[in-house]
């Protein structure tokens, strides 16, 4: 019986950790941050080993996670354009934090990001008219810098 109690506590702790990571992701998304200074300070308090080493054997069929390696101090939704992916940003970002890899975009047939290829030395907001797009220019431009593609106008 004691092993069942320990297992139950472990599961509850894992669930609480996942909820905390998701809440952190939601808070960061809702604050409308244009710089990463507060986001990086929040992630500095979490253990970096969890984000930098893939976790094997957690219900996955393979030992190597699929997807793009997550860049330190950056959310997956800022690194990759997940337009059209049915999952919430918090879920996508928590997968990246837990595994160290940004998950592939669901519902896309190819791994090529959607949007227009970014021209060298040019910001996406100078290349495409984003009038009416609710995202800040900094977010749009960072997507272009990180993926090489300017995201579609929302």
């Amino acid at each position: 019986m004691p092993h069942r109690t320990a297992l139950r506590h472990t599961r509850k702790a894992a669930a609480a950790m996942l909820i905390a990571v998701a809440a952190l992701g939601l808070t960061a998304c809702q604050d409308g941050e244009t710089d990463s200074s507060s986001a990086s300070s929040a992630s500095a308090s979490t253990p970096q080993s969890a984000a930098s080493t893939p976790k094997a054997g957690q219900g996955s069929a393979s030992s190597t996670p699929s997807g793009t390696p997550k860049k330190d101090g950056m959310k997956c939704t800022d690194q990759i354009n997940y337009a059209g992916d049915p999952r919430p940003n918090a879920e996508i970002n928590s997968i990246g934090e837990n595994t160290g890899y940004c998950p592939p975009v669901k519902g896309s047939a190819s791994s090529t990001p959607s949007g227009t290829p970014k021209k060298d030395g040019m910001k996406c907001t100078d290349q495409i008219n984003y009038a009416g797009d609710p995202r800040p220019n900094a977010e749009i431009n960072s997507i272009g810098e990180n993926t090489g593609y300017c995201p579609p106008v929302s």
Side-chain angles (χ1 to χ4, degrees):
M1 289 293 188
H3 65 282
R4 286 186 182 175
T5 304
L7 181 61
R8 189 174 304 133
H9 288 295
T10 303
R11 286 182 179 168
K12 285 182 180 181
M17 177 81 143
L18 184 60
I19 290 169
V21 169
L24 179 63
L26 283 175
T27 302
C29 291
Q30 291 173 349
D31 288 343
E33 293 177 16
T34 56
D35 66 43
S36 62
S37 61
S38 63
S40 63
S41 65
S43 65
S45 64
T46 60
Q48 291 299 320
S49 61
S52 61
T53 56
K55 295 181 181 177
Q58 292 188 344
S60 63
S62 67
S63 62
T64 305
S66 62
T68 307
K70 182 184 167 299
K71 295 179 182 175
D72 286 339
M74 187 174 233
K75 297 183 284 188
C76 287
T77 52
D78 290 339
Q79 185 175 333
I80 298 172
N81 183 358
Y82 284 94
D85 193 306
R87 297 171 291 183
N89 286 352
E91 179 181 341
I92 294 167
N93 290 329
S94 66
I95 290 170
E97 285 297 319
N98 291 334
T99 65
Y101 288 84
C102 295
V105 178
K106 277 192 177 179
S108 71
S110 70
S111 62
T112 304
S114 62
T116 307
K118 183 186 167 299
K119 295 178 183 174
D120 287 337
M122 195 171 199
K123 295 179 185 177
C124 287
T125 52
D126 292 337
Q127 183 176 331
I128 298 172
N129 183 0
Y130 284 94
D133 193 305
R135 297 173 291 184
N137 286 351
E139 178 182 342
I140 293 167
N141 290 328
S142 69
I143 291 170
E145 285 297 319
N146 294 322
T147 65
Y149 287 83
C150 295
V153 178
S154 294

